[in-house]
């Protein structure tokens, strides 16, 4: 396995960090995950500039130095031929780490048949600094582990008022009354790059996207539920498991075609 760290291409799976490195003991990093299209960082669907801007925004707000962006790009270029998905992590001292991974082996099945999601109730499942993509993802990770114990593939995160926010790995989408809905950023969630891409695409098609909060009672009105992120694009949710409830939704609803069309490379 190859990875890029602090200006060098490395082999293996081990990374040396000091025992008191803030990245290790506090999760003090900002990161972004992107899918490579056409084996090019500059392909429009790769959204390279948006991912770099996400990193720069977090670094600026936290008062951390920026990495050498030319080295970050060099590392990404070195790995993209072997990995369709890259994760770029910036440490608080200006070092960069670029790692790669494969797409889920059953991604096509996920996209066509959908997945089960579990609603993660409780403060322990909430993300720290939700507007930023930081290395402290413990809440979301715990939610995903709990979801898997319940036989689900994904977890749905909620706030103290029970409003649905996002999944443990992506942004939520719902279809009802002839239009798409996605929770608004003001409710406390990550402004996903694919979320922005889908909103802009739908608006270009003349469709309006409602970004109101999702209180618990509104969920039953949705004819479609799905989540999005850079790696999986759009994945329908066919079943939602609550503490004492079960909701089933059509994962092959024709409305999903509008979201999938946003990833056409033609």
């Amino acid at each position: 396995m190859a990875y890029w760290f602090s200006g060098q291409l490395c082999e293996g799976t081990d990374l040396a960090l000091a025992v008191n490195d803030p990245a290790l003991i506090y999760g003090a990093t900002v990161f972004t995950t992107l899918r490579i299209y056409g084996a090019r960082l500059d392909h429009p669907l790769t959204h390279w500039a948006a991912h770099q801007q996400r990193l720069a925004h977090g670094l600026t707000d936290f008062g951390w130095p920026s990495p050498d962006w030319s080295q970050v790009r060099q590392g990404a270029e070195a790995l993209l031929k072997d990995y369709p998905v890259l994760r770029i992590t910036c440490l608080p001292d200006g070092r960069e780490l670029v790692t790669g991974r494969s797409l889920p082996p059953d991604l096509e099945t996920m996209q066509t048949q959908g997945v089960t999601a579990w609603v993660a109730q409780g403060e322990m499942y909430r993300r720290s600094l939700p507007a930023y993509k930081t290395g402290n993802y413990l809440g979301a990770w715990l939610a995903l582990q709990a979801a898997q114990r319940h036989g689900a593939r994904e977890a749905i995160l909620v706030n103290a008022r029970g409003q649905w926010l996002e999944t443990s790995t992506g942004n939520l989408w719902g279809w009802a009354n002839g239009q798409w809905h996605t929770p608004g950023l003001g409710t406390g969630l990550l402004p996903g790059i694919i979320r922005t891409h889908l909103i802009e695409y739908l608006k270009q098609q003349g469709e309006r996207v409602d970004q109101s909060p999702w209180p618990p009672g509104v969920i039953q009105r949705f004819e479609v539920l799905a989540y999005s992120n850079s790696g999986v694009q759009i994945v329908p949710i066919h079943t939602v498991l609550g503490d004492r409830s079960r909701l089933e939704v059509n994962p092959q609803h024709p409305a999903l075609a509008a979201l999938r069309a946003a990833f056409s490379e033609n």
Side-chain angles (χ1 to χ4, degrees), residues 154-181:
E154 255 295 350
I156 295 172
L157 310 184
V158 302
N159 61 19
R161 288 177 286 181
Q163 296 172 335
W164 287 21
L165 303 176
E166 57 194 342
T167 74
S168 62
T169 64
N171 291 111
L172 282 165
W173 294 87
W175 170 267
N177 301 321
Q179 76 171 83
W180 283 103
H181 302 254

Side-chain angles (χ1 to χ4, degrees), residues 31-34 41-58 69 73 88 133 190-197 200 230:
F31 77 95
T32 194
T33 303
L34 60 151
L41 294 180
D42 294 323
H43 189 288
L45 290 176
T46 302
H47 298 291
W48 173 256
H51 285 283
Q52 182 175 334
Q53 184 177 17
R54 165 187 277 172
L55 294 169
H57 173 66
W69 292 113
R73 185 178 179 105
I88 300 173
K133 208 167 176 70
L190 183 72
I193 289 171
I194 294 304
R195 177 185 182 275
T196 300
H197 170 68
E200 292 176 351
S230 291

Side-chain angles (χ1 to χ4, degrees), residues 20-221:
N20 62 347
D21 194 304
L24 174 64
I25 60 177
Y26 301 122
T29 63
V30 293
F31 77 95
T32 194
T33 303
L34 60 151
R35 180 167 169 175
I36 304 299
Y37 291 84
R40 292 192 294 119
L41 294 180
D42 294 323
H43 189 288
L45 290 176
T46 302
H47 298 291
W48 173 256
H51 285 283
Q52 182 175 334
Q53 184 177 17
R54 165 187 277 172
L55 294 169
H57 173 66
L59 293 169
T60 299
D61 284 3
F62 297 161
W64 297 348
S66 295
D68 182 331
W69 292 113
S70 65
Q71 284 190 178
V72 174
R73 185 178 179 105
Q74 186 180 354
E77 294 277 10
L79 296 182
L80 64 78
K81 299 178 181 62
D82 297 316
Y83 302 102
V85 178
L86 301 181
R87 173 176 167 140
I88 300 173
T89 304
C90 295
L91 279 66
D93 59 5
R95 290 179 294 173
E96 80 284 349
L97 170 66
V98 185
T99 57
R101 68 170 187 252
S102 302
L103 293 168
D106 61 343
L107 178 57
E108 185 175 350
T109 300
M110 293 168 60
Q111 291 172 329
T112 56
Q113 298 183 16
V115 299
T116 298
W118 173 74
V119 181
Q121 302 277 0
E123 187 175 352
M124 69 184 295
Y125 298 130
R126 293 176 197 149
R127 287 203 305 111
S128 171
L129 301 174
Y132 300 90
K133 208 167 176 70
T134 73
N136 185 357
Y137 243 64
L138 180 59
W141 186 81
L142 289 173
L144 184 59
Q145 304 311 299
Q148 291 170 354
R149 290 195 296 272
H150 283 81
R153 183 68 176 257
E154 255 295 350
I156 295 172
L157 310 184
V158 302
N159 61 19
R161 288 177 286 181
Q163 296 172 335
W164 287 21
L165 303 176
E166 57 194 342
T167 74
S168 62
T169 64
N171 291 111
L172 282 165
W173 294 87
W175 170 267
N177 301 321
Q179 76 171 83
W180 283 103
H181 302 254
T182 190
L185 299 180
T187 54
L189 52 88
L190 183 72
I193 289 171
I194 294 304
R195 177 185 182 275
T196 300
H197 170 68
L198 288 168
I199 290 173
E200 292 176 351
Y201 176 81
L202 290 170
K203 288 182 176 179
Q204 289 171 2
Q205 306 307 307
E207 298 192 38
R208 189 170 70 88
V209 180
D210 183 89
Q211 298 182 57
S212 302
W214 285 17
V218 78
I219 309 306
Q220 284 72 22
R221 300 210 306 261

Side-chain angles (χ1 to χ4, degrees), residues 253-264:
H253 194 287
L256 285 161
L259 295 184
R260 293 180 175 127
F263 299 98
S264 173

